[in-house]
């Protein structure tokens, strides 16, 4: 038995829910990838200025930290 809502079917709501989970997982993955890239750049930079310039050129954000609930 499926539950229909006034604004659409339960199938559409299930699909929206799955997409929300996928988007959240992707956001976590991208944040982790960004963090690894920042650490790599910092490890290969000769000073703070060079590190900041490289991060800017690569579009990386050293200050970005996400809380995962």
């Amino acid at each position: 038995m499926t539950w229909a809502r006034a604004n659409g079917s339960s199938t559409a709501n299930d699909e929206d829910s799955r997409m929300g989970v996928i988007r959240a997982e992707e956001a976590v993955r991208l944040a982790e990838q960004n963090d690894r890239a920042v650490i790599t750049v910092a490890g290969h930079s000769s000073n703070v200025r060079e590190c900041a310039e490289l991060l800017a050129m690569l579009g990386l954000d050293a200050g970005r930290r996400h809380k995962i609930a």
Side-chain angles (χ1 to χ4, degrees), residues 1-17:
M1 179 172 163
T2 62
W3 295 90
R5 296 187 180 170
N7 63 349
S9 71
S10 65
T11 304
N13 293 328
D14 290 346
E15 186 67 24
D16 289 344
S17 178

Side-chain angles (χ1 to χ4, degrees), residues 13-43:
N13 293 328
D14 290 346
E15 186 67 24
D16 289 344
S17 178
R18 281 193 295 265
M19 288 304 295
V21 169
I22 291 168
R23 285 187 193 103
E25 289 172 348
E26 181 67 3
V28 169
R29 189 189 68 76
L30 289 174
E32 291 171 348
Q33 183 179 19
N34 181 81
D35 291 346
R36 286 191 305 273
V38 167
I39 291 168
T40 300
V41 169

Side-chain angles (χ1 to χ4, degrees), residues 22-65:
I22 291 168
R23 285 187 193 103
E25 289 172 348
E26 181 67 3
V28 169
R29 189 189 68 76
L30 289 174
E32 291 171 348
Q33 183 179 19
N34 181 81
D35 291 346
R36 286 191 305 273
V38 167
I39 291 168
T40 300
V41 169
H44 289 85
S45 300
S46 58
N47 57 46
V48 174
R49 182 178 174 187
E50 180 183 54
C51 182
E53 290 174 356
L54 289 170
L55 291 174
M57 282 191 280
L58 294 169
L60 297 171
D61 184 3
R64 188 173 77 178
R65 292 286 176 193

